[in-house]
Amino acid sequence: VEAAPDFKPTHEQYVVTNGTPLYRGPHWTPGETTGRMLERGQRPQILGEANLGLFLLVGEKGQGVGYAPRSLLCPVELCSGKES
């Protein structure tokens, strides 16, 4: 996973509204996925945001495992009904 020069830590919790692959960097590049997927309804660990907030760094046990487009996730307090 690439380091983002404009990374900003966040403690906000998100829920996945549309499934998406995780990307190696905070940008859409064909073939640059990590092989991991987020499924609708998941509440992944979010470590921070990058690329002017357009991507969220998804973590596992505190380590970054890939970036997800912010447009495919929603803050839990706004979209708590999306988990099913």
Side-chain angles (χ1 to χ4, degrees):
V1 175
E2 296 174 15
D6 68 339
F7 178 79
K8 237 170 62 175
T10 185
H11 297 291
E12 187 141 23
Q13 295 182 352
Y14 287 83
V15 62
V16 179
T17 55
N18 290 298
T20 181
L22 292 180
Y23 294 88
R24 294 182 194 276
H27 43 76
W28 282 285
T29 305
E32 288 295 318
T33 62
T34 65
R36 294 175 183 241
M37 290 284 297
L38 292 180
E39 301 295 330
R40 186 175 193 271
Q42 276 185 285
R43 293 186 181 197
Q45 178 186 28
I46 302 298
L47 301 177
E49 57 184 53
N51 196 359
L52 302 174
L54 296 175
F55 280 80
L56 298 170
L57 178 60
V58 176
E60 194 171 278
K61 298 180 184 174
Q63 295 293 317
V65 295
Y67 293 90
R70 183 183 214 139
S71 61
L72 301 179
L73 289 89
C74 184
V76 167
E77 67 270 8
L78 298 176
C79 300
S80 62
K82 301 286 186 212
E83 57 265 69
S84 58

